[in-house]
Amino acid sequence: MASAAVVVDSESKRVVWRTGKEVFSDPRGRSCILEELKLLLRAAELFEVKEVHVDITLGGKELTTITLNGAWRKKVSKEGLKYLEEILPEVSRIAREIRKFCGARVLAIGKESWAIRLAEISACVYGLKYLLRRACNGEKLRVGLPRKCLAEDRGECILLRAETPFGEYREEIPRSETLEIRVYENPLVEEFYVVEILPGSS
C-alpha cells in the first residue's frame, strides 16, 4: 500500500521527520524493499543519523558488507531468500550510498527495531490518506492494517491507534464526511484489522 522512512529521536522516541509514497506491488516483493531504501537515502541526505534501520530481518546484519553467499542465508525462509537474492546487489549499492552521505551503519534489523515500528505505522498513515483521496473519486477500497493497529471512524477523521514498545501511538487522519468507513477484524489473519472505505453521497 505504502512505504515510509522516519527519522526518530532516540531519547524521546518521537518522529522528527518522515516521508512516504504509495507502492503498487506485492508488499513481500522486490519493489517495496527498494522503495523503502530510496526513502532512507533521502533521509540520509538531509540528516546526520547514527544508525539506519531497514525492514529486513537478518539480526542487524550490516547491509554495506553483506554478500550473496553469507551466513545470513540460514536465517531466511525459502521465499524470502528468493526475493533477497534478486535485490541484494541493489540493496547493497543503496546502503553504501546511505553510508556515504551520513556515515551511519545500515542494519537489516527488521521488526526488532522500534524505529521500524514507527516507520510501519507511518506507512499505514500515508496509505490511508492515499486511499481516502481515491475513495473521494468514487472508488470502493479495502485495506489491511499492520499488526496491533486499529482505526476508529470519528466522523471528521479516522483515528489510528497502534501499539509500540513505549506506549500507544495515536494520529488523526482527516477524511471527507461523505465517505462511509467500516472497520472489522481481518477474516484471514487473527488480531489484524481491515478498513473498508466506501464512497458516500454528497
Side-chain angles (χ1 to χ4, degrees):
M1 181 173 66
S3 186
V6 298
V7 176
V8 297
D9 180 87
S10 60
E11 293 186 5
S12 67
K13 306 293 191 294
R14 292 181 180 273
V15 175
V16 297
W17 179 89
R18 71 182 182 186
T19 187
K21 66 177 296 186
E22 301 84 30
V23 178
F24 304 100
S25 70
D26 185 334
R28 299 167 300 173
R30 181 176 188 272
S31 299
C32 194
I33 293 174
L34 293 180
E35 289 300 333
E36 177 189 333
L37 280 160
K38 291 174 184 176
L39 294 175
L40 290 168
L41 176 58
R42 187 187 306 172
E45 293 171 349
L46 297 172
F47 294 88
E48 292 184 8
V49 295
K50 295 178 180 178
E51 290 184 349
V52 174
H53 293 185
V54 181
D55 196 5
I56 302 173
T57 305
L58 296 178
K61 180 71 176 177
E62 169 62 74
L63 284 173
T64 59
T65 62
I66 195 169
T67 61
L68 278 171
N69 58 355
W72 61 269
R73 299 172 66 91
K74 298 177 182 178
K75 302 178 181 180
V76 183
S77 67
K78 288 184 178 179
E79 185 179 10
L81 187 59
K82 175 186 173 184
Y83 285 124
L84 281 174
E85 284 180 333
E86 291 178 10
I87 67 172
L88 193 58
E90 185 68 0
V91 165
S92 297
R93 184 193 67 78
I94 299 174
R96 288 192 294 271
E97 284 291 302
I98 292 172
R99 183 140 195 175
K100 172 185 173 184
F101 275 106
C102 64
R105 296 188 301 156
V106 184
L107 306 178
I109 195 168
K111 299 299 186 287
E112 298 173 27
S113 165
W114 57 264
I116 291 289
R117 175 60 172 166
L118 292 176
E120 180 180 55
I121 296 166
S122 294
C124 180
V125 171
Y126 279 108
L128 284 172
K129 286 180 177 180
Y130 170 68
L131 293 183
L132 287 167
R133 291 197 302 270
R134 283 183 54 174
C136 287
N137 293 326
E139 293 184 68
K140 176 182 176 180
L141 301 157
R142 186 184 301 119
V143 64
L145 298 180
R147 62 191 174 90
K148 298 184 179 178
C149 287
L150 180 63
E152 297 177 14
D153 182 17
R154 293 291 183 91
E156 73 285 353
C157 71
I158 293 175
L159 174 63
L160 182 69
R161 297 164 49 208
E163 289 186 28
T164 75
F166 38 86
E168 186 180 67
Y169 178 97
R170 299 166 67 96
E171 182 164 348
E172 293 182 353
I173 304 169
R175 62 90 154 188
S176 168
E177 293 186 9
T178 65
L179 300 176
E180 182 180 351
I181 310 293
R182 300 174 183 168
V183 182
Y184 51 88
E185 290 189 25
N186 191 322
L188 302 177
V189 189
E190 189 177 356
E191 297 184 351
F192 283 69
Y193 287 84
V194 173
V195 175
E196 190 173 58
I197 308 172
L198 300 98
S201 56
S202 57

